[in-house]
Amino acid sequence: MILPPSPSLAGTPPPRILAVDDDPVFRRSVAFALDGYRFQGREVELLQAGSSAEALEQLARHPDIGVILLDVVMEHDDAGLRLVRRLRGELGRQDIRIVLLTGQPGMAPMHDVMRDLDVDEYWHKTELGSERLEALLNANLRSHQSILREQQGRRRFERLLQAVDRASRGQDLTGLARQLLDDVAALLETEPAGLVAMWPPHTTGPLVIGAAGAQAPLQGLTLAAGDADTGTTPLLAARIEHVLGAPAPAAGLGDDELHELLLPLHPGALPPSALRGATDSAQQTLFALWVPRPQPPDEAEREMVRLLATNVGAQMRRLDLIAQLDRLAYQDELTGLPNRNGLLRRMHAAGERLGSMVLQFEDVDQFSNLNLMLGFETANRLLQALAERLREEAGPDVMVARVDNDTFALLGPADQMVTQMYRDRTEGITVSDGHFSAVLHLTGAQVDLSLVSGPPEETLATARYLLNDAKRHGWGQQVCYRPGMETQARDNYRLGQALHEALRAGEIRIALQPQVWLQDGSLKGFEALARWTDRRGREIPPLTFIALAEASGHISALFNQVLEQSCQAWRLLDSLGLGHLRIAVNLSALQLADPALAQDIAARCSAAGVPPEAIELEVTESAVMVDADGATLQLDRLRQLGFEIALDDFGTGFSSLARLRGFDLDWIKIDRAFLGEIGQRPDEETLPGMIVSLSRQLGLKSLAEGVETDAQRHWLMRSGCQAAQGMLIGRPMPMCDLPGWLRTQGHLPQPLSLPQ
């Protein structure tokens, strides 16, 4: 096994981080947050760039930059994404850790970016406090160090492969020995030096068949432990003889007496003394390599040279080297499990049998936090314990592989993929490294391979997409593949792009649905409903594009356009003498998480010349319960600013009465799903009746949605419900139809002309 050398920090530049953002305020905040930040006891140099071009200049000046904090939107909407493609593709910079940042998450949806681009992390700027930023940088700087070590090892490994290939074409011992010294020097990044000695059977001492550097004059001479004329010390000659099978001299031959690499070039299955003491017919010609070093060689250098030396020694260990190369390519070093390449090799080799198997991904939830809390070494030992647990439970017919840092894959027959571990996701899995125990929660994604087509590489990508989707739903989830999910994901992505363009072009329109007071039928106001007709003339259902807006981060932009048009509608009403009416606008759960929400809404209304009391804000019961405490603060701020608050879809969520009493509300809206009970049960047993009674006891007003019949309207009036909306009252209408509807419904007693 080739181990990467431990890098020395002496004389090396400090770790460098590049912050790329066109917002100087954000760059200053990053600099402030990282003031005094140290990584592994060393100061970190923070570089700044305000554009992609400046970033490339910094990278040209400082090719050792380890981490880039990269804004998505700069000189172009996708400037950050373009820079990622150029770094990874054209420039081939796989070593740099790229942390994508955005203040507009809808411009580049997370799951699409993480699937399509080679970025390491993706964060919203508001999520990066000082502690989280330092933790993020610690993890990514460590990863950068690991990648550099891997690249150094890979370069050495490539040189090793080239040297082995050259050795396989060697035509004579002398040329092979000289080439070996040159190749060893290339591996160690030094000038050629040292010697290669051969000790044939029945000879008195080793013969130098290759020499370089200060030892070049020894070429062709015989070494003898007592012969000082060869230019070597008696101790060195004795050491070479000993490694070639001679008995050890009286003096000790400890490795610390000389800075050197001294290796036998013969099979390692038998000790040299056994080979040297064999019968005449079994005796072999033995070879040794000696290379002086200015300092003690590290284990990586020893192992690399040992691999090369073993192959050159008459290629006696060629098969063993192939096995080692195989392990490096297909086996995970930490756990001993197959790695991603090993899993792909097994899937390709399965052929048609693959269709009868199931692929299961298991990901350790919050593993990065575990790393931070316990440290890298302890977390790795826990991963090893988890790998052993998976291997034990999987059984002999199921392959277990480690495909990523904290992600494992299982491949096997469908009837053998259900274990106790998967059934106990909610409780978690307890693993121990012998000193420390931890409860790990696994999120799973399962693909029945009979349902998919395409190469195994695409199947792994599908499983990864499923896993990311499962993780968005919380800990301990399990998601199974459904045919057509890839098509759905692509369609959602295209629709998300179209929605983004529609929002930029202002193509979202509102439809106004009237709301009336039940007792006298007078107009209470209107609810603004978002409507979208795409550029091909298709009406996109509101449930579809609103959910897409929430998932892709476009919900704030959508709300702002609806609010702006609602303000226009109120100004139209005000010009018609109906300024006492309200326009209701819907808020989403994601918006409630924005601490600046209340001030932003108030500022937009003020800029539009609309008083807060003209706008009613509707929030769903499930939305406020996502973060009940945070929602309470937001609703308090909005009401203090003069906005009325309505709790929409009441009864369909999961709020408790105690929570409901804690919200600062004005209205409860009865969901249309409950109106079907009217006339089917006694009045006191219907859910609408209970909700109306509850709202009265809490001092809130009630409004029923989805009123479609006179019977429902009369029942609601008798029950004490104050207001209603629905098809019976009026269909949603575009703003241009509003004056005509008001006139025909008698809400404008005098004919009025539209304002110019």
Side-chain angles (χ1 to χ4, degrees):
M1 177 180 62
I2 301 171
L3 300 175
S6 301
S8 172
L9 298 179
T12 61
R16 289 192 172 104
I17 298 168
L18 174 61
V20 186
D21 199 300
D22 61 348
D23 182 2
V25 175
F26 180 75
R27 295 201 305 271
R28 286 196 297 271
S29 69
V30 171
F32 178 79
L34 296 182
D35 185 31
Y37 167 63
R38 299 175 71 85
F39 173 69
Q40 297 178 342
R42 307 182 71 205
E43 293 185 357
V44 174
E45 182 177 358
L46 176 64
L47 305 172
Q48 303 265 5
S51 66
S52 297
E54 292 180 14
L56 292 171
E57 292 175 2
Q58 291 279 26
L59 286 163
R61 286 195 297 269
H62 306 286
D64 58 348
I65 288 171
V67 179
I68 298 180
L69 303 175
L70 177 59
D71 189 21
V72 173
V73 180
M74 292 183 290
E75 61 267 33
H76 305 289
D77 288 346
D78 61 346
L81 305 185
R82 294 183 186 180
L83 182 57
V84 170
R85 295 188 183 97
R86 186 168 183 187
L87 282 174
R88 298 300 198 212
E90 180 180 339
L91 300 180
R93 293 301 303 270
Q94 304 301 321
D95 59 303
I96 297 177
R97 312 304 286 168
I98 300 177
V99 179
L100 210 58
L101 303 177
T102 184
Q104 306 175 51
M107 302 297 289
M110 178 177 290
H111 69 85
D112 295 321
V113 170
M114 297 300 289
R115 181 188 63 205
D116 298 336
L117 292 181
D118 186 10
V119 298
D120 301 290
E121 298 195 51
Y122 193 175
W123 291 84
H124 194 285
K125 292 179 181 178
T126 59
E127 298 175 318
L128 288 185
S130 178
E131 291 185 359
R132 178 169 286 179
L133 179 59
E134 288 192 12
L136 181 151
L137 291 175
N138 285 336
N140 281 280
L141 284 171
R142 280 196 297 270
S143 295
H144 176 64
Q145 284 185 344
S146 177
I147 290 172
L148 290 181
R149 287 194 294 268
E150 289 178 2
Q151 288 181 340
Q152 182 183 25
R154 190 178 299 115
R155 288 194 300 271
R156 285 182 169 178
F157 187 62
E158 290 171 353
R159 290 172 184 152
L160 171 63
L161 292 179
Q162 293 168 0
V164 169
D165 182 65
R166 281 190 293 270
S168 69
R169 298 193 299 268
Q171 299 299 314
D172 63 272
L173 285 176
T174 300
L176 193 59
R178 292 297 303 270
Q179 184 63 56
L180 173 60
L181 292 171
D182 290 342
D183 288 335
V184 168
L187 286 176
L188 302 180
E189 299 178 352
T190 60
E191 292 297 319
L195 57 86
V196 176
M198 175 183 73
W199 195 350
H202 313 297
T203 58
T204 58
L207 172 67
V208 177
I209 59 173
Q215 291 73 41
L218 299 178
Q219 179 77 38
L221 299 181
T222 300
L223 293 176
D227 186 359
D229 294 336
T230 60
T232 62
T233 67
L235 179 59
L236 174 57
R239 290 166 64 81
I240 294 175
E241 286 187 5
H242 176 59
V243 82
L244 288 174
L253 296 177
D255 288 344
D256 56 349
E257 295 186 28
L258 289 172
H259 294 168
E260 61 181 13
L261 281 168
L262 178 57
L263 300 170
L265 302 183
H266 51 68
L270 294 174
S273 58
L275 293 172
R276 178 57 57 189
T279 62
D280 288 351
S281 60
Q283 287 188 16
Q284 303 178 29
T285 297
L286 304 180
F287 301 85
L289 167 71
W290 178 78
V291 177
R293 302 289 292 134
Q295 66 278 332
D298 61 35
E299 184 58 32
E301 293 175 336
R302 287 185 182 276
E303 188 66 19
M304 293 290 288
V305 175
R306 186 177 295 119
L307 285 173
L308 175 57
T310 302
N311 275 269
V312 172
Q315 302 178 16
M316 293 178 182
R317 298 183 66 186
R318 173 172 291 275
L319 294 177
D320 181 64
L321 177 61
I322 292 174
Q324 293 189 52
L325 297 179
D326 187 83
R327 288 196 297 273
L328 289 170
Y330 298 103
Q331 181 174 303
D332 176 59
E333 181 179 349
L334 177 68
T335 64
L337 296 173
N339 58 17
R340 182 178 184 276
N341 291 335
L343 175 62
L344 284 171
R345 181 168 66 171
R346 174 71 66 86
M347 295 175 73
H348 279 291
E352 295 182 357
R353 293 184 295 108
L354 192 63
S356 63
M357 297 182 182
V358 166
L359 176 67
Q360 175 82 26
F361 268 27
E362 295 290 339
D363 185 88
V364 182
D365 294 318
Q366 303 293 311
F367 184 72
S368 58
N369 292 341
L370 195 69
N371 256 321
L372 292 173
M373 180 177 68
L374 303 179
F376 181 75
E377 292 184 359
T378 300
N380 272 353
R381 289 196 297 270
L382 292 176
L383 275 182
Q384 290 171 327
L386 176 60
E388 186 61 29
R389 174 87 178 268
L390 286 168
R391 189 158 37 196
E392 289 175 357
E393 292 210 3
D397 296 328
V398 176
M399 177 186 189
V400 182
R402 184 185 181 212
V403 295
D404 203 352
N405 185 35
D406 56 351
T407 304
F408 295 86
L410 296 94
L411 176 71
D415 59 352
Q416 298 187 34
M417 297 298 290
V418 178
T419 69
Q420 187 64 32
M421 181 176 294
Y422 309 143
R423 290 193 291 270
D424 293 341
R425 288 188 185 280
T426 55
E427 290 81 7
I429 302 161
T430 301
V431 296
S432 173
D433 67 347
H435 303 282
F436 184 87
S437 296
V439 178
L440 304 181
H441 293 267
L442 298 183
T443 292
Q446 189 172 101
V447 180
D448 184 340
L449 300 183
S450 67
L451 302 177
V452 298
S453 59
E457 288 79 3
E458 289 185 7
T459 302
L460 293 192
T462 298
R464 173 62 68 182
Y465 171 78
L466 280 176
L467 190 63
N468 292 339
D469 185 58
K471 291 175 75 68
R472 284 192 288 271
H473 294 85
W475 288 10
Q477 301 296 311
Q478 167 83 356
V479 174
C480 294
Y481 172 80
R482 300 186 308 277
M485 292 184 75
E486 304 95 328
T487 301
Q488 180 182 354
R490 287 193 293 266
D491 290 345
N492 284 341
Y493 178 74
R494 294 190 186 102
L495 191 61
Q497 293 294 102
L499 177 60
H500 170 64
E501 294 300 324
L503 288 168
R504 291 186 61 188
E507 295 173 0
I508 304 298
R509 292 288 179 259
I510 63 170
L512 299 166
Q513 185 168 35
Q515 299 172 334
V516 298
W517 297 101
L518 284 171
Q519 293 305 317
D520 60 6
S522 62
L523 197 58
K524 171 190 176 295
F526 296 86
E527 180 178 3
L529 304 171
R531 295 291 185 264
W532 177 27
T533 302
D534 70 10
R535 296 178 182 181
R536 290 189 288 177
R538 297 181 305 169
E539 292 285 342
I540 309 300
L543 288 178
T544 298
F545 73 80
I546 291 174
L548 184 61
E550 290 181 328
S552 61
H554 291 104
I555 192 64
S556 294
L558 176 61
F559 171 81
N560 291 339
Q561 289 197 14
V562 171
L563 179 62
E564 178 183 350
Q565 295 177 55
S566 298
C567 289
Q568 295 174 8
W570 183 86
R571 290 200 304 271
L572 174 60
L573 291 171
D574 188 48
S575 70
L576 297 173
L578 298 175
H580 62 285
L581 300 181
R582 285 187 172 87
I583 305 293
V585 184
N586 290 277
L587 280 173
S588 79
L590 292 177
Q591 291 176 273
L592 290 176
D594 182 2
L597 175 68
Q599 294 299 328
D600 182 61
I601 293 176
R604 290 179 182 276
C605 290
S606 176
V610 176
E613 56 269 18
I615 300 297
E616 180 180 298
L617 297 169
E618 296 187 3
V619 291
T620 63
E621 181 185 2
S622 56
V624 296
M625 292 308 297
V626 170
D627 177 10
D629 293 333
T632 299
L633 292 175
Q634 290 284 31
L635 300 182
D636 286 346
R637 293 191 191 106
L638 288 166
R639 290 199 81 245
Q640 290 168 7
L641 291 171
F643 297 96
E644 283 203 350
I645 306 296
L647 189 64
D648 198 8
D649 299 338
F650 181 74
T652 63
F654 43 85
S655 60
S656 65
L657 181 58
R659 275 295 187 186
L660 184 63
R661 292 172 63 90
F663 293 129
D664 201 0
L665 304 171
D666 298 283
W667 289 85
I668 287 180
K669 296 188 73 175
I670 304 170
D671 189 78
R672 68 183 68 238
F674 300 138
L675 298 192
E677 296 186 3
I678 294 176
Q680 306 298 318
R681 298 184 182 184
D683 289 357
E684 65 274 9
E685 295 181 4
T686 61
L687 280 171
M690 296 176 189
I691 295 172
V692 171
S693 176
L694 176 62
S695 66
R696 188 184 305 114
Q697 294 175 35
L698 294 175
L700 305 176
K701 293 168 283 189
S702 56
L703 181 148
E705 295 183 294
V707 178
E708 298 182 354
T709 67
D710 284 324
Q712 291 172 340
R713 178 174 182 172
H714 291 312
W715 186 95
L716 290 166
M717 291 174 62
R718 292 195 307 272
S719 70
C721 183
Q722 286 100 329
Q725 72 181 81
M727 295 303 183
L728 182 69
I729 311 300
R731 294 178 175 274
M733 68 192 81
M735 196 188 310
C736 59
D737 292 349
L738 186 59
W741 183 87
L742 291 168
R743 191 177 302 114
T744 58
Q745 296 297 315
H747 298 297
L748 290 177
Q750 301 297 325
L752 294 175
S753 60
L754 290 176
Q756 299 298 318

